[in-house]
Short mmCIF file of all heavy atoms in Angstrom, two decimals:
data_model
loop_
_atom_site.label_atom_id
_atom_site.label_comp_id
_atom_site.label_asym_id
_atom_site.label_seq_id
_atom_site.Cartn_x
_atom_site.Cartn_y
_atom_site.Cartn_z
N THR B 4 15.90 -38.79 36.40
CA THR B 4 15.16 -37.53 36.59
C THR B 4 15.12 -36.73 35.29
O THR B 4 14.07 -36.24 34.87
CB THR B 4 15.84 -36.66 37.69
OG1 THR B 4 16.10 -37.49 38.76
CG2 THR B 4 14.99 -35.48 38.07
N GLY B 26 -7.51 -28.00 15.63
CA GLY B 26 -8.35 -26.92 15.12
C GLY B 26 -9.14 -26.21 16.19
O GLY B 26 -10.11 -25.51 15.91
N SER B 30 -9.39 -18.46 22.60
CA SER B 30 -9.33 -17.04 22.90
C SER B 30 -8.41 -16.86 24.09
O SER B 30 -7.88 -17.82 24.63
CB SER B 30 -10.72 -16.53 23.22
OG SER B 30 -11.12 -17.12 24.43
N ASN B 39 -2.82 -24.99 31.89
CA ASN B 39 -2.81 -26.10 32.83
C ASN B 39 -2.06 -27.29 32.24
O ASN B 39 -1.33 -27.98 32.93
CB ASN B 39 -4.25 -26.51 33.16
CG ASN B 39 -4.92 -25.44 34.02
OD1 ASN B 39 -4.21 -24.68 34.67
ND2 ASN B 39 -6.24 -25.38 34.00
N GLY B 52 0.53 -32.76 38.14
CA GLY B 52 -0.51 -33.12 39.10
C GLY B 52 -0.36 -32.49 40.47
O GLY B 52 -1.13 -32.78 41.38
N GLN B 70 9.72 -10.70 34.95
CA GLN B 70 10.41 -9.44 35.28
C GLN B 70 11.72 -9.33 34.50
O GLN B 70 12.53 -10.25 34.52
CB GLN B 70 10.73 -9.37 36.78
CG GLN B 70 9.51 -9.33 37.68
CD GLN B 70 8.92 -7.92 37.79
OE1 GLN B 70 9.62 -6.94 37.63
NE2 GLN B 70 7.63 -7.83 38.06
N PRO B 84 -3.64 2.33 11.58
CA PRO B 84 -4.36 2.11 12.83
C PRO B 84 -4.14 0.71 13.42
O PRO B 84 -3.97 0.56 14.62
CB PRO B 84 -5.83 2.33 12.44
CG PRO B 84 -5.77 3.27 11.28
CD PRO B 84 -4.52 2.92 10.54
N LYS B 103 10.30 -5.74 29.41
CA LYS B 103 10.79 -4.64 28.59
C LYS B 103 10.21 -4.85 27.18
O LYS B 103 10.25 -5.97 26.66
CB LYS B 103 12.31 -4.70 28.55
CG LYS B 103 12.96 -3.52 27.88
CD LYS B 103 14.46 -3.70 27.89
CE LYS B 103 15.08 -2.70 26.94
NZ LYS B 103 16.42 -3.11 26.51
N PRO B 109 10.10 -1.25 10.47
CA PRO B 109 10.76 -1.35 9.16
C PRO B 109 10.18 -0.39 8.13
O PRO B 109 10.66 -0.35 7.00
CB PRO B 109 10.50 -2.79 8.72
CG PRO B 109 9.78 -3.45 9.83
CD PRO B 109 9.20 -2.39 10.70
N VAL B 170 -1.02 -15.74 16.48
CA VAL B 170 -2.19 -15.03 17.01
C VAL B 170 -2.77 -14.20 15.87
O VAL B 170 -2.05 -13.40 15.26
CB VAL B 170 -1.80 -14.08 18.17
CG1 VAL B 170 -3.01 -13.28 18.63
CG2 VAL B 170 -1.23 -14.87 19.34
N ALA B 182 -17.92 -15.25 2.19
CA ALA B 182 -18.43 -15.85 0.95
C ALA B 182 -19.86 -16.36 1.16
O ALA B 182 -20.72 -16.18 0.28
CB ALA B 182 -17.51 -16.98 0.51
N LYS B 187 -25.71 -15.49 0.16
CA LYS B 187 -27.08 -15.14 0.61
C LYS B 187 -27.53 -13.82 -0.02
O LYS B 187 -28.67 -13.67 -0.45
CB LYS B 187 -27.10 -14.99 2.14
CG LYS B 187 -27.08 -16.32 2.88
CD LYS B 187 -27.09 -16.07 4.38
CE LYS B 187 -26.42 -17.21 5.12
NZ LYS B 187 -25.83 -16.80 6.39
N PRO B 203 -1.75 -8.52 -1.32
CA PRO B 203 -0.63 -9.11 -2.05
C PRO B 203 -0.83 -10.62 -2.18
O PRO B 203 -1.25 -11.26 -1.22
CB PRO B 203 0.58 -8.80 -1.15
CG PRO B 203 0.14 -7.68 -0.28
CD PRO B 203 -1.33 -7.81 -0.11
N SER B 230 -14.25 -10.67 -11.57
CA SER B 230 -12.89 -10.15 -11.49
C SER B 230 -12.27 -10.60 -10.18
O SER B 230 -12.91 -10.51 -9.13
CB SER B 230 -12.91 -8.62 -11.58
OG SER B 230 -11.63 -8.10 -11.33
N ALA B 252 -18.03 -1.92 -16.26
CA ALA B 252 -18.24 -3.00 -17.23
C ALA B 252 -19.37 -3.93 -16.80
O ALA B 252 -19.96 -4.62 -17.62
CB ALA B 252 -16.95 -3.81 -17.38
N ALA B 258 -21.75 -7.64 -5.75
CA ALA B 258 -20.93 -7.41 -4.55
C ALA B 258 -19.46 -7.22 -4.89
O ALA B 258 -18.97 -7.76 -5.88
CB ALA B 258 -21.08 -8.60 -3.60
N VAL B 274 -17.52 2.88 -5.73
CA VAL B 274 -18.95 2.53 -5.81
C VAL B 274 -19.80 3.78 -5.56
O VAL B 274 -20.77 4.05 -6.27
CB VAL B 274 -19.28 1.41 -4.79
CG1 VAL B 274 -20.78 1.18 -4.70
CG2 VAL B 274 -18.58 0.10 -5.19
N GLY B 291 -10.78 -3.11 12.94
CA GLY B 291 -11.68 -2.16 13.58
C GLY B 291 -11.17 -0.74 13.66
O GLY B 291 -11.44 -0.03 14.63
N ILE B 294 -12.10 4.16 9.95
CA ILE B 294 -12.64 4.30 8.60
C ILE B 294 -13.67 3.21 8.31
O ILE B 294 -14.64 3.43 7.57
CB ILE B 294 -11.49 4.27 7.54
CG1 ILE B 294 -11.99 4.62 6.13
CG2 ILE B 294 -10.81 2.93 7.48
CD1 ILE B 294 -12.25 6.06 5.92
N HIS B 337 3.56 -25.69 18.87
CA HIS B 337 3.10 -24.79 17.80
C HIS B 337 1.64 -24.46 18.11
O HIS B 337 0.77 -25.30 17.92
CB HIS B 337 3.24 -25.45 16.43
CG HIS B 337 4.65 -25.83 16.13
ND1 HIS B 337 5.62 -24.89 15.94
CD2 HIS B 337 5.24 -27.03 16.05
CE1 HIS B 337 6.77 -25.51 15.72
NE2 HIS B 337 6.56 -26.81 15.80
N TYR B 341 -6.82 -18.21 17.50
CA TYR B 341 -7.57 -17.46 16.49
C TYR B 341 -8.52 -16.48 17.18
O TYR B 341 -9.26 -16.83 18.09
CB TYR B 341 -8.35 -18.43 15.60
CG TYR B 341 -7.45 -19.34 14.82
CD1 TYR B 341 -7.50 -20.73 15.01
CD2 TYR B 341 -6.54 -18.84 13.90
CE1 TYR B 341 -6.66 -21.57 14.30
CE2 TYR B 341 -5.69 -19.68 13.20
CZ TYR B 341 -5.76 -21.04 13.40
OH TYR B 341 -4.91 -21.88 12.71
N THR B 359 -9.99 4.06 18.72
CA THR B 359 -9.23 5.22 18.26
C THR B 359 -7.77 4.84 18.40
O THR B 359 -7.30 4.60 19.51
CB THR B 359 -9.53 6.45 19.14
OG1 THR B 359 -10.94 6.61 19.14
CG2 THR B 359 -8.84 7.68 18.62
#
Side-chain angles (χ1 to χ4, degrees):
Chain B
T4 312
S30 67
N39 289 338
Q70 296 279 333
K103 187 181 166 201
V170 175
K187 284 180 207 152
S230 172
V274 171
I294 188 76
H337 301 293
Y341 297 117
T359 306

